[in-house]
Amino acid sequence: MTQAQTSPAAAGTASAQVITLADASTDPLLTLVLQQLDDDQAQEVVTIDLEGKSSIADHMVIASGRSTRQVAAMAQKLAEKIKQAGFGPVKLEGLPAADWVLLDAGDVVVHLFRPEVRSFYNLERMWAFGDAPPVAGRA
């Protein structure tokens, strides 16, 4: 089982769920993001479908890295892969500290966290409007 194929954040929660690589095949940018995060051994990858719920993007991907070094490396590599694939430049925020790095790739927004920072902000719960539990094994 790949990292991008972990179990959903909450049973019966339509807002915070994992979209597997097979399910993401209709969106090439999302497929690229999930594949690259899997290759980089990102942990606890969650994809939230925002289509029809928000105008900021169609998908939000949230993942953790084991350290600031891994988070920074994943962010830089992902931004380069997206640009090389022809999806245009990616806006990066938070790279110097690398506790929480935001990648804005247009239709897909990616949040990369250190585990402690991810459990503090708990974006999955916020975007599920309180239906999702805290990140597994944290808080």
Side-chain angles (χ1 to χ4, degrees):
M1 180 179 283
T2 63
Q3 293 291 329
Q5 295 174 325
T6 56
S7 15
T13 301
S15 298
Q17 63 181 347
V18 172
I19 297 176
T20 63
L21 290 174
D23 295 337
S25 62
T26 59
D27 187 338
L29 178 56
L30 180 61
T31 302
L32 172 72
V33 167
L34 293 177
Q35 183 61 57
Q36 187 59 49
L37 290 175
D38 185 52
D39 291 349
D40 290 340
Q41 299 178 354
Q43 299 175 334
E44 299 179 33
V45 177
V46 176
T47 301
I48 301 172
D49 184 16
L50 299 177
E51 198 167 356
K53 297 178 182 109
S54 175
S55 61
I56 62 169
D58 290 339
H59 302 282
M60 180 183 297
V61 178
I62 304 170
S64 297
R66 293 180 299 277
S67 65
T68 56
R69 181 175 286 193
Q70 185 189 17
V71 169
M74 285 190 307
Q76 290 172 328
K77 194 170 181 182
L78 181 57
E80 186 60 33
K81 290 282 185 177
I82 291 170
K83 186 176 178 182
Q84 286 176 353
F87 291 104
V90 175
K91 297 178 187 110
L92 284 168
E93 293 291 332
L95 198 53
D99 287 331
W100 175 2
V101 178
L102 169 71
L103 289 93
D104 183 354
D107 289 340
V108 178
V109 174
V110 181
H111 296 273
L112 301 174
F113 290 98
R114 278 189 315 108
E116 305 83 25
V117 178
R118 182 176 179 173
S119 66
F120 179 78
Y121 288 103
N122 202 356
L123 291 183
E124 294 95 331
R125 187 176 185 110
M126 181 182 357
W127 282 93
F129 303 105
D131 293 335
V135 174
R138 311 238 192 299

